[in-house]
Amino acid sequence: MPTPPDQYAYPTHWEADVVLRDGGTAQIRPITPDDAQRLVSFYEHVSAESKYYRFFAPYPRLSDRDVHRFTHHDYVDRVGLAAIVGGEFIATVRYDRIDGRGRSASAPADEAEVAFLVQDAHQGRGVASALLEHIAAVARERGIRRFAAEVLPANTKMIKVFTDAGYTQQRSFEDGVVRLEFDLEPTDRSLAVMRAREQRAEARSVQRLLAPGSVAVIGTGRAPGGVGRTVLRNLLDGGFTGSLYAVNRAFPEGGARLDPEGVPGHRSLREIDGPVDLAVVAVPADQVPSVVAHCGEHGVQGLLVLSAGYAESGPEGRARQRDLVRQARTYGMRIIGPNAFGVINTADGVRLNASLSPQLPIPGRLGLFTQSGAIGIALLSGLHRRGAGLAGLPGIAGISTFVSTGNRADVSGNDLLQYWYDDPQTDVALMYLESIGNPRKFTRLAKRTAAVKPVVVVKGARHSGSAPTGHAVPTTRIPDATVSALLRQAGVIRVDTVTELADTGVLLASQPLPAGPRVAILGNSESLGLLTYDACLTEGLRPLPPRDLTTAAEPGDFRSALTEALADDGCDAVVVTAIPWVDDTCATDLAAAVREAADAPPGPGGAKPVAVVHLEIPDLVEALAGIGDGGDAPRTRRIPAYPAAERAVRALAEAVRYARWREEAAEPGRVPEYEDIDESGAAADIEVLLAPAASAPATGASTTSWPADGAPTGAASPVASSPTGGVPANGASAASSPADGAAGSSPAPAESGAADGRAESGALSPDDTAAGVELSAADTQRLLARYGVSVLPALPAPGPDAAVRAAERLGFPVALKPTAPQLRHRTDLGGVRLDLGGEAELRRAYAELTDYLGPPEGLGLVVQRMAPRGVDTVVRAAIDPAAGAVLSFGLAGAPSELLGDTAHRLVPATDRDAAELIRSIRTAPLLFGWRGSKAVDTAALEELLLRVSRLVDDHPEMVAVDLEPVVVAQRGLSVLGASARLAPPPVRTDLGPRHLPAY
């Protein structure tokens, strides 16, 4: 670490690695006094013109005073950052805080003057844009809200850097100088600009790895065999179109030529005259550092590290892996691996097989990413068997690109999503993931990619609670059910097995998306048709009655029936079922008939997907996939075939759900505004409540509180508690099992996720968030009231007389219930007395409860007025540091706690998200009228969800909010209990300047 000035702390957290526009990397860090010589050397490599643009006058060299000024900073009012490659500066930026007259100043002045200087050799790489993002983030952290820059009119490149950044700007011209002023508060446009630049840069960095013009295999054995020699052989057999070199320090001096490959061999990269774009590293781990240094000095663009002995081998290997990434990034190189299986690119102009796969897959439209070499091998082999096609013709299961990253210390699935987003050779992205290092970024990128092409994911290590040994990534405590729901919200097709990954990918790559869930079924087996029909119902599709062509059906009968089905406006997809014939009818004839019908011009409803289910028909898969078509054969549509109805229908159902998501995503919902929300008041309350925790963590209830009765001030909103009625406070009805409704209605602490079933339901509990302040009932109710959410008052009843006074204050009828942690939400224990209409009943109920459950001191008894009849529900929101704020919804009691019937959405939720949230649980029919019951007020429920979403989105300090139960009646709803936790907000890694992960 550089030596900081004695009087100031060096801000290590400002250090970052970034990907530049051309795909290379650079390190950004604060400038220190130790950088004096680097600064002088950097300035010597800047042209006279660039110096003139920086200083508005000829400035051939820096004086000692200049060097001191530009290397000594206080990291508050004066800050300098440098972009570094290979240990040398390539660009610098600094700001100086100024007052309203442009003079040097300190806080509270909130404006600073900013200036850049980029070496001419590195201009056009996006260095200045990256530096601007980082210096702006630093300035915001130090209380600076506005930058000013003076630029000569001829310096159009720098003017463009400022104007393209997306900040709100003002421009003026005076004394021959352009003055730009811009606010540093991120805007929608500045975030969009930053993310677009991030996408282009990261996509380019992957492209450099997948489409190199030259490859050197370092560690190529002198004799056939071994990892390096195997990869070299595979590169040759695959027909790599670029230059290929073998490197081994054991080769004889003066060079060698490997036999039988005929590839030139070299003792080191220094002996290679031309450039090397990609280095495949296959040497022992202890030799890798020297290899990386040679690659960096030679200008290699990227590394594929096959070597093992890194994080998968334990703490020492984990440290070695961190050093590898740090060393490679020093030279501007990105890494696939270590412990990688390899990369493949089947494009005609590349034909790269830098992997341990013995053959280059046939070209196709599937992009494949896997964190496991074993899974990669299985997928490549399985897709090849599914029908890859012929050389020169894309196959139904062909591959465009394949990346198996092993420990994925650098390049990850996020980078591949950036690349595939606008890759014209890839129509479907298939991913096998064992860990998601940055869930926020992954869901953001996946959602954008899914809007243009399907993203299918299978995730391993779902229940282990940690990442695989070799993955040095931060982990998230979000339950797998929640992860699945959030991926679905982002449009990701989440499947459970590698087989389903291939099944779904093949269908999506070869068939049009279905317009709806209606499925026609036809074939020569009534039984197989019925199995398919049942499978459709299981998957939520709407199958039409199967059409039995009888076992006597010929291929022509299949063609005619399929043609009719595809022309029928009443169906959106067709499943063809087939069993073997007893005569000599061959699979080729059937495949030709099906493909001919499927390839007919579509009707007014557009093209429809077709899938075939077959039982033991040899060669049908190959014939439907087009294997055997001659080079001059018409390129009719290839049809996926499945050996089981369940597999075909499951893939089709995923396509239906994805098509519906695409349609809905085209018109996204909105986050509504509510005029009665008091955002500033809530912020002030939170500041006061968090103050005791600023000096020391607190885990108990907050000591700062408002009136003891907890009654919120202000008018009730449409989602506030409903008028008193004559039904139980838990809102129990024939359509819902009762719950005690005591959640958070007293100062009792919240229960853990294990106790109330949240772990099973997939909801985050307050214990899943950072430690902080557990709010009292009064404080919780006051904060919720700021956002228009009222909680039905509950008053403490330490004795029977206090219970009577509370009931008289609230108004009979009332409920009496305990709030002790072990008794909350446990109606099964019989600890709740409801609909108590007078003093005598209340005293009798009090005596019964204390006799049954024990002394009142340990029960936390409260009295609460009754709520209208309705359905008991649960609304929760919690913040995971990695994934962000998650809004959860389910029915109270067994449905969510025992059966895990809980739905989740990322915050901020839109009106569409809220509507989908309440409709996506399996028990949703209880809300819309079931078995003759009345439908409840789902509009009020949606509004409540949106208000809670706004609360946690506006105030990230609200790390957990729990409303239970929320009784939804025919008109309005009642929140019977609430709890909340405050904590300093987790660091948001997705809103700051772009940077590579530092694991």
Side-chain angles (χ1 to χ4, degrees):
M1 179 186 297
T3 303
D6 294 337
Q7 65 270 40
Y8 300 112
Y10 177 82
T12 307
H13 64 287
W14 291 353
E15 296 179 350
D17 294 314
V18 298
V19 183
L20 303 178
R21 182 180 301 156
D22 61 358
T25 66
Q27 182 192 32
I28 292 177
R29 67 164 174 81
I31 298 173
T32 74
D34 290 346
D35 293 318
Q37 188 54 48
R38 288 189 184 91
L39 182 66
V40 171
S41 176
F42 158 73
Y43 196 75
E44 290 174 351
H45 290 83
V46 176
S47 69
E49 181 183 53
S50 294
K51 293 174 181 176
Y52 185 87
Y53 285 155
R54 170 64 177 85
F55 294 104
F56 298 1
Y59 215 89
R61 64 186 58 85
L62 296 175
S63 66
D64 291 344
R65 182 178 178 182
D66 292 330
V67 173
H68 183 276
R69 177 189 172 208
F70 293 150
T71 56
H72 287 70
H73 306 95
D74 62 10
Y75 304 126
V76 178
D77 300 324
R78 302 186 317 280
V79 173
L81 302 180
I84 304 170
V85 173
E88 299 297 330
F89 287 4
I90 64 170
T92 63
V93 62
R94 64 176 282 116
Y95 78 67
D96 293 90
R97 194 189 299 259
I98 58 175
D99 59 19
R101 298 182 179 180
R103 299 175 301 187
S104 296
S106 298
D110 62 357
E111 184 172 352
E113 191 171 51
V114 64
F116 293 80
L117 187 59
V118 181
Q119 275 185 3
D120 297 68
H122 294 277
Q123 292 178 10
R125 300 184 65 197
V127 184
S129 297
L131 281 173
L132 177 57
E133 291 177 17
H134 283 261
I135 197 71
V138 168
R140 288 194 297 269
E141 180 182 327
R142 295 312 194 202
I144 293 172
R145 299 290 174 258
R146 187 166 51 260
F147 270 167
E150 293 186 345
V151 186
L152 291 175
N155 193 358
T156 55
K157 291 182 180 178
M158 187 51 62
I159 293 175
K160 184 174 175 59
V161 168
F162 290 122
T163 57
D164 288 353
Y167 296 110
T168 303
Q169 298 185 12
Q170 293 180 339
R171 183 190 297 202
S172 60
F173 184 79
E174 186 176 351
D175 297 331
V177 174
V178 177
R179 181 177 176 83
L180 297 168
E181 296 181 359
F182 49 96
D183 296 332
L184 298 182
E185 186 66 27
T187 64
D188 290 343
R189 182 167 178 265
S190 69
L191 288 174
V193 167
M194 182 178 67
R195 288 172 176 173
R197 288 172 173 167
E198 174 191 62
Q199 188 273 326
R200 290 192 297 268
E202 293 180 358
R204 175 59 180 153
S205 72
V206 173
Q207 184 185 35
R208 299 201 319 177
L209 295 164
L210 290 176
S214 54
V215 176
V217 181
I218 303 174
T220 303
R222 289 176 292 175
V227 173
R229 192 69 175 256
T230 298
V231 173
L232 183 74
R233 183 77 254 172
N234 293 341
L235 282 162
L236 285 170
D237 292 345
F240 177 57
T241 59
S243 301
L244 190 58
Y245 307 97
V247 178
N248 189 327
R249 62 184 182 181
F251 287 161
E253 294 186 12
R257 183 166 291 274
L258 274 66
D259 186 45
E261 293 88 354
V263 174
H266 304 273
R267 290 172 59 85
S268 81
L269 285 174
R270 297 188 185 97
E271 298 178 4
I272 300 176
D273 294 332
V276 173
D277 297 329
L278 175 66
V280 180
V281 181
V283 300
D286 60 351
Q287 299 177 22
V288 171
S290 62
V291 169
V292 173
H294 293 160
C295 290
E297 293 165 2
H298 194 77
V300 173
Q301 294 183 348
L303 303 175
L304 169 60
V305 182
L306 307 180
S307 311
Y310 288 89
E312 81 282 357
S313 63
E316 183 178 345
R318 190 177 296 272
R320 187 182 298 120
Q321 183 166 301
R322 285 195 293 266
D323 292 340
L324 169 64
V325 175
R326 188 177 299 114
Q327 183 186 16
R329 289 181 180 173
T330 297
Y331 292 105
M333 298 182 293
R334 300 210 66 184
I335 299 174
I336 292 178
N339 197 28
F341 180 77
V343 300
I344 294 173
N345 185 349
T346 63
D348 287 340
V350 182
R351 299 189 61 80
L352 175 76
N353 183 14
S355 78
L356 297 174
S357 175
Q359 65 185 66
L360 182 74
I362 296 300
R365 312 301 299 178
L366 297 173
L368 184 57
F369 173 86
T370 172
Q371 293 175 357
S372 162
I375 297 298
I377 295 170
L379 277 169
L380 290 174
S381 176
L383 290 171
H384 180 75
R385 289 196 305 271
R386 295 292 293 265
L390 286 178
L393 289 176
I396 191 173
I399 300 296
S400 63
T401 46
F402 166 84
V403 177
S404 180
T405 56
N407 294 3
R408 73 157 182 81
D410 182 19
V411 172
S412 69
N414 286 349
D415 296 290
L416 268 295
L417 285 174
Q418 300 277 40
Y419 174 75
W420 284 328
Y421 171 68
D422 53 10
D423 175 31
Q425 305 302 317
T426 301
D427 290 341
V428 181
L430 305 183
M431 310 183 79
Y432 171 77
L433 306 176
E434 291 177 343
S435 59
I436 302 177
N438 189 341
R440 285 182 194 262
K441 183 174 180 180
F442 180 82
T443 53
R444 171 169 59 86
L445 300 185
K447 184 174 184 178
R448 185 191 58 190
T449 304
V452 295
K453 60 187 66 173
V455 178
V456 191
V457 170
V458 60
K459 189 176 182 300
R462 291 182 294 172
H463 304 296
S464 65
S466 62
T469 309
H471 296 186
V473 300
T475 57
T476 174
R477 298 180 64 186
I478 296 182
D480 184 69
T482 309
V483 173
S484 183
L486 300 184
L487 291 179
R488 291 281 183 186
Q489 183 185 4
V492 174
I493 301 171
R494 171 79 182 271
V495 296
D496 294 328
T497 68
V498 173
T499 299
E500 291 177 8
L501 184 73
D503 285 346
T504 307
V506 168
L507 181 107
L508 290 168
S510 61
Q511 302 300 303
L513 291 176
R518 301 168 301 176
V519 181
I521 303 168
L522 61 92
N524 62 352
S525 167
E526 180 181 14
S527 299
L528 189 53
L530 291 175
L531 288 174
T532 305
Y533 183 90
D534 292 342
C536 287
L537 292 175
T538 300
E539 291 295 330
L541 301 178
R542 291 165 50 191
L544 306 178
R547 179 177 177 181
D548 182 17
L549 303 180
T550 76
T551 56
E554 299 290 335
D557 299 319
F558 278 86
R559 183 195 303 102
S560 299
L562 179 55
T563 299
E564 291 178 19
L566 291 174
D568 182 4
D569 293 337
C571 84
D572 304 302
V574 182
V575 177
V576 177
T577 63
I579 60 173
W581 285 268
V582 294
D583 57 20
D584 59 353
T585 302
C586 67
T588 304
D589 294 337
L590 175 60
V594 171
R595 292 175 62 189
E596 182 181 345
D599 206 49
K608 301 175 183 178
V610 177
V612 172
V613 176
H614 70 97
L615 297 181
E616 300 300 331
I617 302 181
D619 303 325
L620 181 61
V621 173
E622 294 82 357
L624 287 168
I627 297 178
D629 290 354
D632 297 328
R635 300 194 178 191
T636 56
R637 193 202 300 185
R638 291 167 168 78
I639 309 296
Y642 301 87
E646 295 77 12
R647 288 175 57 180
V649 171
R650 191 172 296 120
L652 182 59
E654 295 293 358
V656 169
R657 287 188 280 267
Y658 170 68
R660 183 168 59 245
W661 180 89
R662 280 272 293 265
E663 182 180 358
E664 293 172 351
E667 297 181 4
R670 63 181 186 88
V671 177
E673 297 288 339
Y674 296 108
E675 295 182 356
D676 61 340
I677 285 180
D678 183 5
E679 183 176 348
S680 59
D685 291 347
I686 290 170
E687 184 178 0
V688 172
L689 291 166
L690 270 180
S695 56
T699 56
S702 59
T703 57
T704 303
S705 62
W706 284 271
D709 62 4
T713 60
S717 75
V719 298
S721 55
S722 301
T724 301
V727 282
N730 69 334
S733 68
S736 64
S737 59
D740 63 22
S745 56
S746 78
E751 300 156 282
S752 69
D756 65 6
R758 292 171 199 163
E760 289 81 359
S761 68
L764 289 170
S765 73
D767 290 343
D768 290 325
T769 63
V773 179
E774 185 74 27
L775 298 187
S776 68
D779 296 343
T780 299
Q781 292 169 17
R782 183 181 178 90
L783 273 178
L784 289 171
R786 300 283 193 186
Y787 275 71
V789 178
S790 294
V791 181
L792 202 66
L795 300 182
D801 293 338
V804 171
R805 288 194 299 269
E808 290 173 344
R809 179 177 176 181
L810 295 173
F812 286 101
V814 296
L816 179 68
K817 54 191 177 183
T819 60
Q822 73 275 16
L823 298 174
R824 294 167 63 198
H825 313 314
R826 293 297 308 275
T827 55
D828 55 308
L829 298 179
V832 181
R833 295 295 183 269
L834 305 172
D835 204 18
L836 305 174
E839 178 179 345
E841 288 185 67
L842 178 57
R843 289 184 180 275
R844 184 168 56 253
Y846 200 99
E848 292 174 352
L849 281 183
T850 52
D851 288 344
Y852 177 56
L853 298 175
E857 294 79 15
L859 302 182
L861 290 170
V862 298
V863 172
Q864 191 172 47
R865 65 185 175 89
M866 302 301 292
R869 181 181 299 275
V871 178
D872 290 6
T873 64
V874 181
V875 174
R876 293 191 178 105
I879 293 181
D880 179 86
V886 179
L887 183 67
S888 304
F889 170 76
L891 296 194
S896 61
E897 296 177 12
L898 182 62
L899 304 178
D901 189 18
T902 306
H904 313 275
R905 291 294 185 274
L906 284 175
V907 168
T910 66
D911 53 357
R912 174 170 287 172
D913 291 331
E916 292 175 350
L917 195 61
I918 65 175
R919 289 164 175 80
S920 58
I921 58 174
R922 296 190 298 277
T923 46
L926 293 175
L927 299 169
F928 295 94
W930 184 69
R931 284 188 159 182
S933 62
K934 298 291 186 180
V936 300
D937 193 349
T938 54
L941 183 57
E942 291 172 17
E943 184 176 333
L944 175 66
L945 289 164
L946 291 168
R947 288 177 180 271
V948 173
S949 172
R950 278 288 308 275
L951 174 62
V952 296
D953 188 48
D954 292 345
H955 307 284
E957 300 89 351
M958 296 285 297
V959 295
V961 178
D962 191 334
L963 308 183
E964 183 180 2
V966 177
V967 182
V968 190
Q970 293 181 40
R971 292 187 58 188
L973 54 78
S974 302
V975 179
L976 301 190
S979 61
R981 184 193 294 270
L982 296 180
V987 176
R988 289 288 300 269
T989 60
D990 58 328
L991 294 181
R994 52 196 158 112
H995 63 277
L996 289 171
Y999 298 141

